[in-house]
Each structure stands twice: as C-alpha cells, then as structure tokens.
Amino acid sequence: VAPRVAEAQVRRAVEQVSGRRSVRQQHEDLLLGLNLLKPEVRASLVDLSAADFSHADARTVFDAIRRHKALPGEKLADKLSEAVTYAKGLLLVAEEEFSGAVEIALQQQAFELARTVLLEANAEHKARLTAEIRSAEASGNEVLKTELLREFQRIIESEA
C-alpha cells in the first residue's frame, strides 16, 4: 500500500506543477523523463550541459543521468535526495507519454527534445547577451561589447 500512496502523491504533485510550467520547462521535463525511463536514449544529452536547464531540480537530474549512464531511472531517482519527487514525477509523465513507442521513435524524439532544449536555452542566453551588449555600448565599453558580440556569434554558429 505504501508504494501506491507515494505514487499517488507524486502524481498529484506532477498534476499541480504541470499547469504552471513554462513551455521550456515542459520540454526539459519530457527530455529528462524520457532519459530516465529509457537509458538507451541517453546519447541525446551529449550536446547539453546543466546550464542549459532552467531550474535546479532539472540540473540535478541531468547531472545524475550523465554520471550514471546505465542506471535504470527508478534507481537513479532514488539516489536524488533533494530532487527525488521531481525525478519520480518525470518518470510517471514519461511512462504515460512514451508508453508503447518503438525504440527508434524514442531515439528520434529524445534528440528532437534535446535540440529544442538547447535552442531554448540559447535564446535566453542571447537575450541576456543583447541586454549586456546594449549596456556596454551605452557606457562606451568597446572591449566588453566586442567580447559579448563574439560570444553571441559563437552561440549562433553552434546552432547551425
């Protein structure tokens, strides 16, 4: 009975939170959930870093997946003291979202989600850089402006 109660609590938490998540967070959740559920898709995370995720729980789960590449999701979730509820919620959502899908479709979905997460993180980074470039320009700091423009260009090139 206790596991069912815990699962019900996690499901309620997921339902409560899912209504308040941004589109970016929903993409992150789907990507991480799929990677927890299906370790064979974890290669999709190779181009991402923890900084590409928008909140601490997602970064914690991402880091754990990268550290424990072959560990099944349920065991991996149990290792996460602070983000265990979040990770178990991701697993539940992924089970509902991806059940019955064939492996090749899951691989493709994982890589598409990873690309989406990367582009969304880059968009946020570019917006921040744009503000910093304007500020450097307004203050007449050409050295900083040039540095920031180079960083902006690197992001654009990485997206090609």
Side-chain angles (χ1 to χ4, degrees), residues 31 44-46 48 109-119:
L31 175 63
S44 65
L45 301 177
V46 72
L48 296 173
Q109 183 71 35
F111 278 95
E112 288 173 4
L113 283 166
R115 176 84 174 149
T116 299
V117 166
L118 180 63
L119 292 175

Side-chain angles (χ1 to χ4, degrees), residues 14-121:
V14 168
E15 289 169 358
Q16 290 172 354
V17 169
S18 63
R20 291 182 258 147
R21 316 258 322 144
S22 70
V23 171
R24 178 178 176 194
Q25 290 170 331
Q26 290 173 33
H27 290 147
E28 293 170 359
D29 291 351
L30 285 172
L31 175 63
L32 293 171
L34 180 53
N35 274 273
L36 283 169
L37 184 65
K38 301 288 185 181
E40 59 271 17
V41 305
R42 292 184 181 167
S44 65
L45 301 177
V46 72
D47 291 332
L48 296 173
S49 70
D52 293 321
F53 292 86
S54 62
H55 58 96
D57 284 344
R59 288 188 290 272
T60 298
V61 171
F62 172 81
D63 284 337
I65 291 170
R66 292 287 297 261
R67 275 194 317 277
H68 306 285
K69 289 181 171 70
L71 196 62
E74 191 66 38
K75 289 184 179 183
L76 199 146
D78 288 336
K79 288 182 168 282
L80 302 172
S81 56
E82 297 134 20
V84 66
T85 302
Y86 173 68
K88 289 190 177 195
L90 293 175
L91 276 166
L92 286 173
V93 170
E95 285 171 1
E96 290 178 16
E97 186 74 25
F98 302 110
S99 67
V102 294
E103 186 175 335
I104 191 73
L106 292 174
Q107 290 279 354
Q108 182 178 359
Q109 183 71 35
F111 278 95
E112 288 173 4
L113 283 166
R115 176 84 174 149
T116 299
V117 166
L118 180 63
L119 292 175
E120 290 168 340

